[in-house]
Amino acid sequence: MPGIILIGAQWGDEGKGKATDLIGTKVDYVARFNGGNNAGHTVVVGDESYALHLLPSGIINPHLTPVIGNGVVVDPEVLFEEIEGLESRGVDCSKLLVSSEAHVIAPYHRTLDKVTERFLGKHKIGTTGRGIGPAYADKINRVGIRIHDLFNAEHLRNKVEASLHQKNQMLVKLYNRRAIDIDETVEDLLKYGEKLKPYVANTSLVLNQALDAGKTVLFEGGQATMLDIDHGTYPFVTSSNPTAGGACTGTGVGPTKIDRVIGVVKAYTTRVGEGPFPTELLGDDGEWLRKQGHEFGVTTGRPRRCGWFDAVVARYATQVNGLTDFVLTKLDVLTGLESIPVCVAYDVTSADGSTHRVSEMPVDQAEFTSATPVYEQMPGWTEDISTVHSFDDLPQTTQNYVHRLEEISGCRISAIGTGPQRDHIIEVHSLTD
Ligand code: IMP
């Protein structure tokens, strides 16, 4: 089972770390394929936990080779902060490989992210402010800086000049800000180039050779399906492809090398930033879920918006990712509820003002924004499930809840997260065999 993609099936923060932990020991390479330091996961090193944003989660596993693929946008300052933070705790990061084709987040991308959001006012996206969108915009506009550009001073200067020519006009004339200094930018980027050199590789070749040799590669997605630039709730999305297809374009590995596509889904739903969220709970129930689930962002510390499980979203994730398995996380958070609402369809309003019921994701974003959830009520449970290690030992109502989610989401649930600790997980079907 050599090529495994692991992605988020909702709006992010599904707890992918749980699934990575489960699969990690059987994996040789962990490759990130999209996004940048807008992601966030906590890794535990000895007694200490450490928040990572850019490095693949497998970095702390000494037998693993962590890879940053070409589809990732790399902020070198953050990369070295994370490497140095881990190395000071005795974690060896020397095996890390960074694609020479990955794009660089320069300081001016961060500046642009913030001023653009401010300028958008009530239309803002609610970005993480890490420069992700502007770096991907430069990539698509063909004025981006790639990692291998950092090794040649003259070449880099030409690229930075091309990129800043228009941006400086915009910053000064439109946003009333100071122009970015080209010399300073080039100098800083060259310094990072020197530091980066030992890690840089042709990662597409490395990963393909590994797969051909029968090694196992885990392709780890940042963000999630509903934040995908093509398939998410545009424009309230991130600027990359966190869906399964992104794993291929973002690493240079063909789809025929992929054997398994695992979607991580929370037993309820959360979202950070702006944008539509049909099952969102604005009152006491939302507050209860946020408290029970400790729903505050790793990257920005923002309180997450919380709502009930949305099977329309889960079914859509099954479809656009071609999921083979779900990992259901944070099921324990629902313990204590007498009855658990699950959204099975939406009532949507069309442009002509008529209302109708849909059970599949509306392609029209205006319709999706108007969606009112149609709920089915599932009986809850009060027993502590965090100590249960086998599916058959779960309370019958919990088993029923899981089976119903499988049925309406269109994909089997192969593992269930039952608590915050690493071993709070029930593996129903092996994720690697
Ligand atoms: P950006 O990725 O910083 O451009 O932000 C775009 C949208 O994606 C915003 O709504 C962010 O809150 C959201 N976002 C980005 N990364 C994550 C993540 O890792 N988890 C959840 N939401 C994210």
Side-chain angles (χ1 to χ4, degrees):
M1 187 55 66
I4 306 171
I5 297 176
L6 183 79
I7 51 100
Q10 297 156 313
W11 276 281
D13 310 310
E14 293 89 355
K16 287 188 280 278
K18 259 270 150 74
T20 318
D21 275 349
L22 202 61
I23 305 167
T25 50
K26 293 158 193 160
V27 167
D28 303 296
Y29 291 77
V30 174
R32 274 203 61 181
F33 61 81
N34 78 300
N37 55 307
N38 48 348
H41 45 255
T42 309
V43 293
V44 180
V45 185
D47 292 335
E48 286 179 66
S49 71
Y50 198 77
L52 293 180
H53 302 284
L54 179 57
L55 290 169
S57 58
I59 191 94
I60 55 161
N61 238 325
H63 75 274
L64 254 163
T65 304
V67 177
I68 292 182
N70 57 277
V72 175
V73 281
V74 179
D75 186 328
E77 195 177 320
V78 174
L79 180 70
F80 286 108
E81 250 170 48
E82 291 193 356
I83 291 178
E84 282 152 23
L86 285 178
E87 289 196 328
S88 71
R89 288 166 164 85
V91 179
D92 176 20
C93 297
S94 62
K95 281 171 87 176
L96 173 72
L97 299 178
V98 181
S99 165
S100 62
E101 293 173 316
H103 279 248
V104 172
I105 300 180
Y108 52 82
H109 291 127
R110 273 182 255 140
T111 307
L112 279 168
D113 199 351
K114 287 180 186 138
V115 289
T116 317
E117 280 282 273
R118 213 167 302 146
F119 215 70
L120 279 170
K122 70 178 171 56
H123 301 293
K124 72 172 195 249
I125 309 297
T127 71
T128 57
R130 306 295 197 255
I132 308 296
Y136 278 115
D138 275 4
K139 172 176 174 174
I140 302 301
N141 277 332
R142 293 160 295 190
V143 289
I145 312 286
R146 298 205 280 183
I147 298 281
H148 60 72
D149 295 326
L150 307 184
F151 304 148
N152 179 328
E154 199 188 326
H155 182 67
L156 178 65
R157 187 165 229 294
N158 283 335
K159 294 243 166 186
V160 172
E161 270 175 4
S163 183
L164 284 181
H165 181 65
Q166 189 201 24
K167 288 184 186 72
N168 273 340
Q169 301 265 348
M170 232 164 64
L171 279 172
V172 174
K173 292 183 184 154
L174 183 65
Y175 296 127
N176 207 16
R177 303 274 298 218
R178 259 187 320 190
I180 312 263
D181 188 280
I182 293 178
D183 291 333
E184 217 175 280
T185 306
V186 172
E187 213 174 288
D188 282 354
L189 289 176
L190 283 171
K191 273 190 219 143
Y192 281 124
E194 268 314 300
K195 279 178 90 174
L196 267 164
K197 255 186 193 150
Y199 301 99
V200 177
N202 178 348
T203 49
S204 164
L205 184 66
V206 171
L207 291 173
N208 276 287
Q209 285 177 338
L211 286 161
D212 289 344
K215 305 267 187 216
T216 299
V217 178
L218 178 67
F219 299 87
E220 183 186 71
Q223 295 77 51
T225 303
M226 298 305 285
L227 291 171
D228 187 281
I229 187 81
D230 287 287
H231 304 292
T233 47
Y234 191 90
F236 301 102
V237 290
T238 192
S239 298
S240 67
N241 285 118
T243 45
C248 294
T249 53
T251 58
V253 168
T256 50
K257 302 267 172 76
I258 306 300
D259 303 275
R260 201 96 179 240
V261 185
I262 301 167
V264 185
V265 70
K266 231 183 267 197
Y268 51 98
T269 315
T270 62
R271 167 164 211 176
V272 286
E274 307 300 317
F277 177 2
T279 63
E280 181 170 19
L281 296 164
L282 296 168
D284 290 349
D285 283 344
E287 198 50 48
W288 183 84
L289 274 176
R290 187 154 38 250
K291 272 214 185 105
Q292 291 285 114
H294 308 289
E295 295 295 351
F296 297 89
V298 176
T299 300
T300 58
R302 290 182 284 184
R304 296 179 184 141
R305 301 159 64 192
C306 297
W308 299 124
F309 188 86
D310 186 336
V312 182
V313 166
R315 201 158 49 241
Y316 179 66
T318 304
Q319 172 201 312
V320 296
N321 295 296
L323 295 182
T324 56
D325 305 81
F326 269 125
V327 170
L328 180 70
T329 56
K330 293 192 144 182
L331 186 58
D332 56 300
V333 172
L334 301 181
T335 300
L337 290 168
E338 201 176 309
S339 157
I340 308 170
V342 175
C343 169
V344 291
Y346 303 138
D347 283 332
V348 297
T349 307
S350 303
D352 63 6
S354 65
T355 300
H356 59 284
R357 188 157 290 185
V358 295
S359 56
E360 300 300 338
M361 180 65 63
V363 282
D364 181 331
Q365 279 303 303
E367 275 193 6
F368 185 64
T369 304
S370 77
T372 314
V374 177
Y375 287 116
E376 183 176 294
Q377 297 291 335
M378 295 291 300
W381 60 90
T382 51
E383 298 89 334
D384 174 13
I385 58 168
S386 63
T387 50
V388 177
H389 295 291
S390 139
F391 185 77
D392 295 337
D393 293 337
L394 283 171
Q396 192 55 51
T397 47
T398 318
Q399 293 188 28
N400 294 347
Y401 181 75
V402 172
H403 283 316
R404 183 66 185 134
L405 295 195
E406 281 185 321
E407 209 170 76
I408 46 183
S409 305
C411 180
R412 71 178 185 177
I413 292 171
S414 295
I416 301 165
T418 53
Q421 306 299 326
R422 285 182 141 185
D423 61 342
H424 284 157
I425 191 143
I426 298 172
E427 197 169 0
V428 190
H429 308 283
S430 166
L431 288 172
T432 46
D433 295 337

